Amino acid sequence: MCGNSLIGARRQIYQVRQLPTGTGRKAKPGKLWHQHAPEELAWNAELPEDCIFHFLLPDPGMAAYNNKMIKQLEPDAVKHCKTWNKAFVGGAFTEFQIAQLKRLIRLVNALMKDWAEELAQLRKRTTDPLLVWPESAASRAPEPWTPLQRKDRIHQQEVAGKGVANANARLRLKWTMDYWAALWFWPIQQAELLPSRDEWLLELSMILGDLEQGVGPEVNQQSLFPDTQRRQMAMDFSDRHGFVNVGKLKQEFERFQKVEAVCNRIRPLHWDLEFADLLKNGGFDLIVGNPPWLKVEWEEKGVIGDYDPIILIHKISAGDLTRLRSDSFGTYQKLRSAYLQEFESQNGSQAFFNAIGNYSLLKGSQTNLFKCFLPQAWRVASQQGSQGFLHPEGVYDDTKGGMLREVLYGRLRHHLEFQNELKLFPIGSRNKFSLNIYGPRPKPSFFHLANLFHAKTR
């Protein structure tokens, strides 16, 4: 899979009682849903009566643009975003909206379970046997391999839905999750396209099949069902979930086009969707990575420097930066849109990572991408799984990182600390980093080795 593995929706839920439902004191909970971490919903668990999937709810971090310079560049759009956020997130939920959400969660859960089973079958149909050990090869009869062209066609039709009019379970869920993700990164200059809460729920109802579309004449140009799939299986899905033509929705609703454009840029990766079958069966046994050691922060000089390198060569005062920014906007026609787009990406990422609902273990901790990978990996790991990460030592000495360390020390198995004296990484010779091996969560017990200089040390 290819995408941003830190940004995406999950199989997690909130409770209806965490939503404001009126103006009275009893109608507003002491802590709102976005002030809590959502609960994991196990794949084999029954859907609780009054739960709501987290990606069907708004968040204060969506389209939240408070940068002083952006306010000067786009005052009306920023004001519109602020007004929208207040109503979209802060407004009380009506009885009708609650009823809509309850219908949608049942649809989402049914689609998720259908997709997990279908994906398991797809893997069997498109994964060739590769017998590594001689004893396993001797005990099994050779199986025929599936031609690559056949695999590609199965993937195009049954996963990506290309040329198929009725959207499959994955596409309906992906569009729902993408819509939610896109709202964190919404283009400032298209603020007027942000949906009201009623519009959002209505459009989610169309995507998920709660409001079924009619089969129009344009279907003649496409297959109603995949020709790589058993027809009865496709018809059973249609009987259960109705007909949804995502292509037609994109044609008729400009907002869907914008969602697609935003997600083509940010590339959200919804782990619980793309690996539904694996997570349903326990998760990943092995995860290995060298995540980015990078703070998420807005640095406008880099954007302007792509067009006017002089800003990167010389030391620039705040006053000179203001003048150069203005001059560059006037000289380079594409700079303003690139500038805003980069700000949207950085601001949206920062808001997403700082949201309690997305990364509760990092609450109060300084956002660095490598930290986000740890809870993400632990969440998708199997009960017996191991994870190996090469990362800086910041998780061990961050004064506000106690919540993360409380979980980290329970999982830590090996901590091998390196001094960068040999400059294995271009981060300064006195900086430290470590090789960290994590496992299941019993009590803290790990092997520690410090002052290493090279990986070849024995």
Side-chain angles (χ1 to χ4, degrees):
M1 297 302 301
C2 179
N4 189 330
S5 56
L6 297 180
I7 293 174
R10 306 162 180 178
R11 190 173 163 82
Q12 295 177 334
I13 56 172
Y14 285 109
Q15 303 298 322
V16 170
R17 65 175 181 272
Q18 296 171 317
L19 306 179
T21 54
T23 56
R25 181 175 296 179
K26 292 183 179 179
K28 186 175 181 179
K31 286 181 72 176
L32 296 168
W33 76 97
H34 53 76
Q35 297 170 324
H36 296 265
E39 304 171 38
E40 291 285 343
L41 178 61
W43 283 92
N44 59 354
E46 290 294 324
L47 192 67
E49 180 64 28
D50 287 325
C51 76
I52 300 174
F53 283 104
H54 79 105
F55 53 86
L56 299 178
L57 293 172
D59 190 277
M62 292 175 170
Y65 302 122
N66 298 311
N67 180 274
K68 182 178 178 181
M69 179 49 56
I70 300 300
K71 288 180 180 179
Q72 292 177 11
L73 288 175
E74 298 288 342
D76 293 338
V78 171
K79 184 178 180 181
H80 184 95
C81 288
K82 186 175 181 180
T83 303
W84 169 84
N85 188 290
K86 185 177 180 180
F88 191 68
V89 181
F93 284 78
T94 66
E95 290 184 13
F96 182 70
Q97 290 171 345
I98 296 293
Q100 278 184 293
L101 285 167
K102 287 183 176 181
R103 287 200 308 274
L104 293 180
I105 64 167
R106 289 192 291 271
L107 288 173
V108 166
N109 193 53
L111 287 167
M112 276 188 170
K113 292 196 171 184
D114 272 13
W115 174 241
E117 293 179 10
E118 187 178 343
L119 185 56
Q121 294 301 316
L122 281 168
R123 288 198 198 279
K124 289 181 180 179
R125 292 165 57 201
T126 59
T127 303
D128 295 319
L130 186 60
L131 304 177
V132 178
W133 311 112
E135 56 270 24
S136 62
S139 62
R140 291 178 57 179
E143 299 179 23
W145 282 34
T146 306
L148 183 59
Q149 188 176 12
R150 175 70 176 173
K151 293 180 188 175
D152 288 344
R153 188 166 179 80
I154 290 173
H155 183 272
Q156 288 170 0
Q157 292 196 14
E158 298 183 46
V159 179
K162 291 183 179 179
V164 179
N166 194 15
N168 59 30
R170 174 186 174 271
L171 282 179
R172 299 185 196 195
L173 291 168
K174 179 171 170 53
W175 267 93
T176 301
M177 295 172 175
D178 280 357
Y179 197 163
W180 174 83
L183 292 175
W184 297 81
F185 301 84
W186 200 262
I188 296 169
Q189 293 181 318
Q190 278 79 48
E192 74 283 354
L193 283 177
L194 284 164
S196 69
R197 191 186 289 166
D198 284 333
E199 288 173 334
W200 189 45
L201 292 175
L202 176 66
E203 289 162 3
L204 291 183
S205 295
M206 289 188 286
I207 293 170
L208 291 168
D210 189 35
L211 296 176
E212 188 178 355
Q213 293 172 261
V215 181
E218 69 280 352
V219 173
N220 295 331
Q221 302 170 16
Q222 298 176 297
S223 298
L224 187 58
F225 306 123
D227 60 31
T228 57
Q229 189 180 52
R230 285 191 300 108
R231 188 170 183 80
Q232 188 59 50
M233 184 176 178
M235 292 176 65
D236 289 345
F237 174 83
S238 185
D239 288 342
R240 288 193 306 274
H241 301 293
F243 177 77
V244 175
N245 188 333
V246 172
K248 193 157 189 296
L249 289 177
K250 283 194 295 181
Q251 292 174 6
E252 296 181 353
F253 292 88
E254 186 180 1
R255 194 151 37 232
F256 289 162
Q257 298 170 27
K258 190 54 59 181
V259 167
E260 184 176 47
V262 172
C263 289
N264 284 341
R265 178 162 53 88
I266 65 173
R267 304 289 295 277
L269 179 60
H270 313 292
W271 286 76
D272 295 59
L273 176 65
E274 306 299 359
F275 301 103
D277 58 327
L278 302 182
L279 296 180
K280 183 181 179 182
N281 289 318
F284 290 86
D285 291 333
L286 179 64
I287 299 172
V288 181
N290 176 14
W293 309 354
L294 183 67
K295 291 181 181 178
V296 182
E297 53 190 359
W298 166 237
E299 178 52 71
E300 64 174 331
K301 286 184 179 180
V303 184
I304 301 174
D306 286 342
Y307 292 81
D308 187 2
I310 196 72
I311 201 171
L312 301 175
I313 297 173
H314 299 294
K315 288 186 177 180
I316 304 294
S317 66
D320 288 340
L321 178 59
T322 301
R323 178 182 55 81
L324 284 170
R325 182 195 303 116
S326 179
D327 291 346
S328 297
F329 282 160
T331 304
Y332 305 103
Q333 294 182 353
K334 295 182 179 180
L335 174 57
R336 187 185 182 98
S337 60
Y339 182 94
L340 290 172
Q341 191 174 93
E342 182 64 22
F343 173 78
E344 292 154 7
S345 295
Q346 294 298 324
N347 184 86
S349 296
Q350 200 167 38
F352 192 93
F353 299 145
N354 287 334
I356 294 175
N358 298 331
Y359 290 94
S360 58
L361 290 181
L362 303 182
K363 181 182 178 182
S365 181
Q366 198 171 39
T367 306
N368 192 304
L369 289 180
F370 82 85
K371 294 180 184 177
C372 299
F373 276 85
L374 301 181
Q376 182 75 306
W378 298 334
R379 199 186 74 83
V380 300
S382 66
Q383 290 187 354
Q384 72 274 12
S386 297
Q387 307 86 46
F389 285 114
L390 193 67
H391 62 64
E393 294 288 81
V395 292
Y396 298 107
D397 56 24
D398 187 342
T399 56
K400 296 182 179 180
M403 290 179 65
L404 178 63
R405 280 193 293 275
E406 187 176 349
V407 177
L408 183 150
Y409 277 123
R411 291 182 173 274
L412 191 62
R413 297 294 173 267
H414 289 79
H415 175 246
L416 311 174
E417 181 189 86
F418 288 80
Q419 286 277 0
N420 198 39
E421 192 67 34
L422 300 179
K423 296 185 179 179
L424 301 180
F425 292 95
I427 55 173
S429 60
R430 301 306 301 165
N431 287 332
K432 297 180 180 180
F433 59 90
S434 55
L435 179 60
N436 302 270
I437 309 298
Y438 302 100
R441 270 190 84 177
K443 58 184 179 180
S445 176
F446 58 91
F447 176 82
H448 168 68
L449 192 59
N451 296 320
L452 294 166
F453 292 95
H454 202 282
K456 292 183 178 180
T457 304
R458 295 184 179 181

